Amino acid sequence: MEASVEKVGSKKVAKIDIVIPEGAPADLVIRFDSIIDELQGITYMPGMIQDIAVTITNNSGHQYAYKDNSFTLATMDTSDFGSLEEGSLLPVLGYDGQYLWINNVGSMLPEYFYEKVFHVNSSGNVTFEMMCQIYDYLEAAGYESIADCITDYYGYSSWDELVANKAGLADKVFATGTTNNGIFDVSEEYLLQMIEKYPWINNYLYVQASGDQLKVQIKWPEAEVAALSYDYFYNNLYYFAYGKENVDKLITTSNKNEYTLEHALGCYQADEPAYAEANAFFANLISANTFANGATASFDMAFALDGPGMGNQYMRYSFGFYNAIELEQVDGNVTISKVDPDGNAVSGAEFVVGRVVEGETQYLGYEGDWTADQQAAAVYVSQNGSFVIENLPFGEYFLKEITAPEGYVLPEETVAFTVDETAEAVQVVNEPEEEEIPDESTPLNPPESSEPSGGEEIPDESTPLNPPDEDIPDESTPLAPATGENSGSPVWIVVGMAMAGCCAAALVMCRKKETEKVRK
């Protein structure tokens, strides 16, 4: 964040430039009160308006949006300025539940005491030592406390009645003019003497150097009056507005309008109209639709001090504020895993990403745009079984597989998924294509051909070995002809019969083997 103050015309405009860097967390707190560091040393007079120009640039790489009801405008954290033990905080609670920083308390004014308590003819005749002895003078005048004296000064019957009259507070208590504004010029030596003589004042002193002298105030030492001065300032005299149109409505002079009065810092508490107005302003300014990566949001804001209602007790008064909004990341990354039924990674599947908006199906484009034309959609491919879809705005989506890997079935169904604060991982399963298995009833050889590969015909076992037109000799008939040489030799008859038997056996074996070959 960079803050600076520039002069624009006759005004000093404070500028805040806030950049959300790459790697920023998902939830961000953006503070506007940080400009106060640049405004240190500036003295504000009653009736002033401090313009502030704010620019927020998103360079995170993600999409952000204003978190609803995260707007906060409150008093500054007083614990940043010390503790009760060291005396920088008073044991007094303000309307915001904080102990009061001594510098946030109004100073005690002689106006209320000079006549009835100190018995002098003007507040200018009241000395610093007289103020140090205030309780002795009050007791002598018949008052039990400072609050009791102020109540009588304005003619109220009780302190509660005085506080309840808001108009009376504005017109009287906090707008009191006086010759003595409660600031005394003393030397350091004299101040130390007074502290030693009246130790009680040490916890209520506000001291500033001014040349060789010190400017010293005694802050209201009583809880009721101290809290009232604090509460009244933040609820009635210190105003805020957001947006150029509203900044222009702030009027701090005597003719201030209702808008100004209704936009004091204390009016920005939850459930108040001013809070609802500011919440709606930031929700519209930084929405999920407008604050993507590279986007810039700029706006004007201002704080202002009341003019006529600012009494002398607030001279050299220190004030501040805490102002912040929260932004939340509204996009995320989704990891898609492509696997087979056994969980093994599958590469080469192609997908498009879709959503349905008001009944229309849209597809994510390459530039983060959305189109109704699926052909123009960005195509994601599963490399090594997975891929990542980055920076999807929170919402409901679906994956559509448009090309299945080779050997796998293209699914007809889409896969729905949600993008939200929780990191999303989606698994898509591809079923493999089924292989064709031959029918067991189908013969291995084509039915139209019964011949073996060699082309030889396999004789049917029922077919006789000898052709039907040849006579098979009767077993009583000799195998060899009866006529011829040696026809009567018994040896040849036996040999001939043995050889005939072997041939027949061989022929039968061949037939059996061929037959078995065909049947297998």
Side-chain angles (χ1 to χ4, degrees), residues 236-476:
N236 298 273
L237 304 176
Y238 192 24
Y239 314 117
F240 281 79
Y242 299 87
K244 184 66 167 59
E245 182 180 348
N246 291 332
V247 168
D248 290 342
K249 293 178 183 178
L250 291 178
I251 299 175
T252 58
T253 57
S254 57
N255 62 339
K256 56 182 174 287
N257 53 26
E258 286 299 316
Y259 180 88
T260 303
L261 295 173
E262 293 171 355
H263 287 76
L265 184 148
C267 296
Y268 283 91
Q269 298 180 67
D271 300 327
E272 294 289 339
Y275 184 93
E277 175 187 284
N279 186 63
F281 173 80
F282 285 105
N284 182 65
L285 178 73
I286 308 176
S287 70
N289 296 326
T290 62
F291 209 54
N293 182 53
T296 296
S298 299
F299 67 97
D300 294 318
M301 61 176 285
F303 65 80
L305 298 177
D306 188 280
M310 192 76 63
N312 283 340
Q313 69 162 309
Y314 295 113
M315 292 190 69
R316 298 184 178 272
Y317 185 84
S318 296
F319 59 93
F321 64 99
Y322 174 84
N323 191 193
I325 60 173
E326 292 182 43
L327 303 184
E328 55 186 355
Q329 184 179 315
V330 290
D331 67 0
N333 299 337
V334 181
T335 300
I336 310 297
S337 299
K338 189 66 173 173
V339 298
D340 64 15
D342 296 326
N344 301 312
V346 176
S347 297
E350 296 182 355
F351 295 86
V352 292
V353 179
R355 68 181 184 181
V356 178
V357 178
E358 297 180 354
E360 180 187 44
T361 300
Q362 300 176 345
Y363 297 94
L364 179 62
Y366 286 98
E367 301 299 326
D369 54 321
W370 292 90
T371 175
D373 182 6
Q374 181 180 316
Q375 301 302 316
V379 177
Y380 293 87
V381 181
S382 61
Q383 300 291 344
N384 298 320
S386 68
F387 59 92
V388 178
I389 308 170
E390 297 183 337
N391 304 338
L392 270 179
F394 289 170
E396 304 293 329
Y397 301 91
F398 65 84
L399 278 172
K400 182 177 181 180
E401 188 168 346
I402 58 174
T403 303
E406 185 177 354
Y408 290 87
V409 178
L410 180 66
E412 295 181 0
E413 302 81 9
T414 59
V415 178
F417 65 94
T418 301
V419 181
D420 54 22
E421 294 86 353
T422 305
E424 184 76 17
V426 180
Q427 188 176 78
V428 183
V429 179
N430 262 120
E431 295 289 342
E433 295 177 343
E434 293 184 1
E435 296 182 4
E436 291 188 8
I437 301 175
D439 191 341
E440 293 182 358
S441 64
T442 304
L444 293 177
N445 292 326
E448 65 272 12
S449 174
S450 59
E451 294 184 1
S453 59
E456 297 180 358
E457 184 178 350
I458 301 174
D460 191 336
E461 289 184 2
S462 63
T463 304
L465 292 177
N466 294 323
D469 52 341
E470 295 182 4
D471 292 331
I472 301 174
D474 188 85
E475 291 182 359
S476 62

Side-chain angles (χ1 to χ4, degrees), residues 74-81 88-90 92 94-96 98-107 174 204-206 217 219-220 225-234 238 313-321:
T75 53
M76 55 187 175
D77 186 357
T78 60
S79 64
D80 291 340
F81 302 100
S88 55
L89 298 184
L90 300 179
V92 178
Y95 79 97
D96 52 10
Q98 295 192 98
Y99 287 115
L100 303 188
W101 181 38
I102 187 69
N103 293 13
N104 280 166
V105 175
S107 61
F174 295 103
Y204 303 98
L205 291 176
Y206 181 53
Q217 294 170 288
K219 299 289 188 174
W220 291 114
V225 187
L228 185 62
S229 70
Y230 177 86
D231 296 351
Y232 190 76
F233 180 86
Y234 284 102
Y238 192 24
Q313 69 162 309
Y314 295 113
M315 292 190 69
R316 298 184 178 272
Y317 185 84
S318 296
F319 59 93
F321 64 99

Side-chain angles (χ1 to χ4, degrees), residues 486-508:
N486 297 329
S487 58
S489 175
V491 174
W492 291 110
I493 295 173
V494 173
V495 171
M497 292 179 65
M499 290 180 66
C502 290
C503 290
L507 181 60
V508 171

